[in-house]
Amino acid sequence: GQQLNQSPQSMFIQEGEDVSMNCTSSSIFNTWLWYKQDPGEGPVLLIALYKAGELTSNGRLTAQFGITRKDSFLNISASIPSDVGIYFCAGQLTNSGYALNFGKGTSLLVTP
Amino acid sequence: NAGVMQNPRHLVRRRGQEARLRCSPMKGHSHVYWYRQLPEEGLKFMVYLQKENIIDESGMPKERFSAEFPKEGPSILRIQQVVRGDSAAYFCASSPYRELLFFGSGTQLSVL
């Protein structure tokens, strides 16, 4: 499958700070998804994006589907300790069938 | 409304034994996916099934691995003659339609 480039690899921030992470691909996607994974658990869906240029919010989270269809970003505003975890982007290629391709994740640590 | 249920959570096998991983999708979901995750890696697609049909198995190793989703009962991922390299977390996801995946808590397979 197509490998997504997710950055940064890890972030260490203070509570209350805003966070931004992004994903890029050399291929066009028609769907972008953002997941959060806690240790020992499965990924939990945060935001789904279906159209180029789409900007969607879920509480303190905001994600955008890049206009070129090759990138997406996720912002978290006013971070809190429970935001700690690994954030994964995932995309579906237009002609790949049904497989979601995942990035390697951004590990977020938040200190009180 | 129960989420995706996977069992067992942890499975220990010796080399050469068989591993059976079970997944019950969310109520009303007819699409099931299996993914594998190695430490500090993203999830890798293995197989996509609908009831009684394998739709896409492009991510499945050609030998020793098989999957089914019978008309009644959970989806099963079966690994025959396990080797140390099969050690990983295996996640099942279900979906009401193709892109929107909801994941279970995973089965951690350890091969001794």
Side-chain angles (χ1 to χ4, degrees), chain A residues 3 30-31 33 35 37 40-45 48 50 88 92 96-105, chain B residues 9 33 35 37 40-45 48 50 55-56 58 91 97-106:
Chain A
Q3 183 66 52
N30 61 357
T31 304
L33 303 165
Y35 287 86
Q37 186 176 28
E41 296 295 328
V44 174
L45 182 65
Y50 298 102
F88 290 100
Q92 186 182 51
S96 76
Y98 310 97
L100 281 182
N101 297 273
F102 280 80
K104 289 193 173 185
Chain B
R9 287 297 308 271
Y33 305 77
Y35 282 77
Q37 186 178 34
E40 299 185 15
E41 294 282 329
L43 284 77
K44 303 291 186 191
F45 169 77
Y48 163 43
Q50 292 183 23
I55 307 301
D56 180 358
S58 58
F91 289 97
Y97 48 88
R98 274 199 339 236
E99 297 88 1
L100 208 61
L101 271 60
F102 296 88
F103 284 85
S105 296

Side-chain angles (χ1 to χ4, degrees), chain A residues 83-106:
Chain A
D83 290 334
V84 166
I86 302 178
Y87 292 79
F88 290 100
C89 61
Q92 186 182 51
L93 290 168
T94 303
N95 61 351
S96 76
Y98 310 97
L100 281 182
N101 297 273
F102 280 80
K104 289 193 173 185
T106 294

Side-chain angles (χ1 to χ4, degrees), chain A residues 9-94:
Chain A
Q9 227 176 356
S10 60
M11 302 183 75
F12 188 71
I13 62 169
Q14 282 197 314
E15 184 176 1
E17 289 185 13
D18 296 344
V19 171
S20 184
M21 58 191 79
N22 68 80
C23 249
T24 59
S25 170
S26 58
S27 299
I28 290 174
F29 282 173
N30 61 357
T31 304
W32 280 96
L33 303 165
W34 284 91
Y35 287 86
K36 179 181 180 234
Q37 186 176 28
D38 292 327
E41 296 295 328
V44 174
L45 182 65
L46 299 174
I47 292 180
L49 302 156
Y50 298 102
K51 287 165 51 176
E54 179 181 354
L55 184 72
T56 297
S57 292
N58 177 8
R60 293 178 295 106
L61 277 60
T62 302
Q64 185 159 28
F65 192 144
I67 200 73
T68 64
R69 309 181 92 172
K70 293 183 178 182
D71 63 318
S72 176
F73 72 75
L74 175 71
N75 286 345
I76 305 173
S77 62
S79 58
I80 58 179
S82 63
D83 290 334
V84 166
I86 302 178
Y87 292 79
F88 290 100
C89 61
Q92 186 182 51
L93 290 168
T94 303

Side-chain angles (χ1 to χ4, degrees), chain B residues 54-89:
Chain B
I54 297 174
I55 307 301
D56 180 358
E57 56 182 350
S58 58
M60 286 276 271
K62 294 286 183 279
E63 297 177 348
R64 303 187 297 108
F65 284 72
S66 62
E68 62 177 10
F69 188 16
K71 188 176 179 181
E72 302 290 338
S75 175
I76 305 286
L77 178 68
R78 183 182 177 207
I79 311 172
Q80 295 177 290
Q81 298 176 315
V82 296
V83 300
R84 288 220 172 106
D86 296 332
S87 296

